[in-house]
Amino acid sequence: MAKPKDKDAKGTFQNNPFARLEGLRDTLPSTKPQVRKEDFPDEPPPQGPERAVLRVEAGRGGEEVTVVEGLGLPEAGLREWLQALQRGLACTGSVEGERLMLRGDHRFKLPDLLLRRGVKRVVHG
């Protein structure tokens, strides 16, 4: 009787079901904030939104979401800001109309990131 091909001499399996996933690990979103200089410069740009309004609401399923309103940016600009804020806060989010919805309560970390992106004033509403 022949031995199965995926067993070694000791009778243990050599097949690793997670071996193919190892190469995909670097493509996963980070669980640690990535505050990059190109997203959040030390010196904010001179032109930027006049103000942003932050609010924490109960989202779908009772989760908290942080809402950013009043940026006055076109949809492409909102998507760019969303991606930068998601990296800076290590969270997920979406654009709904003219609002950015960020999963979780970020009211203490978010104002600094918005000011570094050029917002003149951040209001908690």
Side-chain angles (χ1 to χ4, degrees), residues 19-102:
R20 291 192 327 180
L21 296 176
E22 191 70 33
L24 298 175
R25 183 173 297 195
D26 295 334
T27 63
L28 292 173
S30 176
T31 58
K32 296 179 181 165
Q34 299 174 359
V35 181
R36 301 190 212 170
K37 293 287 184 190
E38 61 268 17
D39 290 337
F40 306 103
D42 291 331
E43 188 67 34
Q47 70 276 7
E50 287 298 316
R51 72 181 190 130
V53 179
L54 299 183
R55 186 172 54 252
V56 176
E57 296 179 353
R60 297 183 188 111
E63 294 181 359
E64 289 183 328
V65 293
T66 304
V67 179
V68 181
E69 295 179 309
L71 293 174
L73 298 171
E75 186 175 348
L78 286 174
R79 294 207 180 278
E80 178 186 326
W81 276 56
L82 176 68
Q83 289 177 354
L85 291 173
Q86 287 180 125
R87 282 189 295 269
L89 297 168
C91 69
T92 59
S94 63
V95 175
E96 293 185 7
E98 296 181 0
R99 306 177 344 156
L100 299 179
M101 309 287 281
L102 297 164

Side-chain angles (χ1 to χ4, degrees), residues 5-17:
K5 293 180 183 179
D6 56 349
K7 285 191 175 184
D8 65 3
K10 296 179 185 176
T12 58
F13 285 99
Q14 294 298 310
N15 182 26
N16 182 357

